[in-house]
Structures are given as structure tokens and as C-alpha cells.
Amino acid sequence: MNEERAEELLMQGIALHRQGKLPEAEAVYREILEHDETHADALHWLGMLAFDAGDLPAALQLIDASLQQRPDEPAFHNHLAAVLLRMGDVPAAEQAVERALAIDPNFAPALVNLGNAWRAQGRYDEAIDAFMRAVAIEPRYADAYNNL
């Protein structure tokens, strides 16, 4: 499978995923991985599919594998933080989101997860600051407002 075909399939898988057609999306991600078991985006989105299904150990493993392939992707670190938060490992989640923000200090989703990590630790003023920074970057970011 060439890179162009893999990208085409990935976009198809993401579209199916967003439509809630999870088995179909999984089949597409796995098709990509059959041809390239280290495809970072397919690993990542398969991990997010596992996250959506509540299989947190699988999500953790797959997102970590995607980070092994592309450690400079802030979204991967941020999604790792979301998994870790849901697993209750707040310190590790905070570290993951801080890695995302080290790569891109203006990555609003990471600021929201940072706020969530701080809120979980009772650091409410800092959480508010993180949510406010996210809103300043993306004024229409509903999750930031909701968490604020």
C-alpha cells in the first residue's frame, strides 16, 4: 500500500469513527496496519477507538505505540493524557499534557486536559487559568467553556 492510499484510508476511517461507525472504522485502521504495523496515525486512531469503547489498557498501549513512531505530535500526547486521566493516573496525565504543550504551547485541547488534571488535584485557580488560556486561543472551544 502506498502512502497516498494509506492517507485516503485513514481519512475514511476517521470519518467513519466520527459518524459512530466504530466497527467499520476499526476495520479501516486495521487494514492500514496490515500493510504498515508502525503507521502512527492508524495506531493513534485505533487507540482512540479503544478509548471511546472504554478499553483503556488497549487505548494506552496503542497511543503509546503511536508516540514511539511520532513523539513530536502534541495531539498524541494530549490523547494519552485523556486516557491516563480516565484511568485515574493524574500525575502521569499531567506529564503527558505538559509534553504536548512543550511541543505546541498554544494547543488548546492540551490546555483543557491540563485544566482537568489540575482540577482533579484540587488546584482550581490553576485549572481556571488553563481553561481561560484555551478560550483565548480558541474562542469557540465548547469543552473549554464547559469545563470552566
Side-chain angles (χ1 to χ4, degrees), residues 10-83:
L10 182 67
M11 293 299 106
Q12 178 186 358
I14 293 169
L16 290 164
H17 194 152
R18 290 184 176 149
Q19 294 167 16
K21 298 177 179 177
L22 304 185
E24 294 90 340
E26 179 178 358
V28 172
Y29 301 146
R30 290 195 185 281
E31 181 179 346
I32 296 166
L33 291 169
E34 282 177 21
H35 297 279
D36 178 4
E37 65 187 27
T38 64
H39 192 282
D41 289 307
L43 288 165
H44 172 256
W45 284 105
L46 191 59
M48 291 308 297
L49 191 100
F51 178 76
D52 292 342
D55 187 351
L56 300 180
L60 186 64
Q61 178 185 8
L62 288 159
I63 293 171
D64 186 57
S66 72
L67 278 164
Q68 298 302 315
Q69 301 306 314
R70 205 161 64 221
D72 60 342
E73 178 55 56
F76 293 5
H77 289 284
N78 187 52
H79 287 147
L80 176 63
V83 172

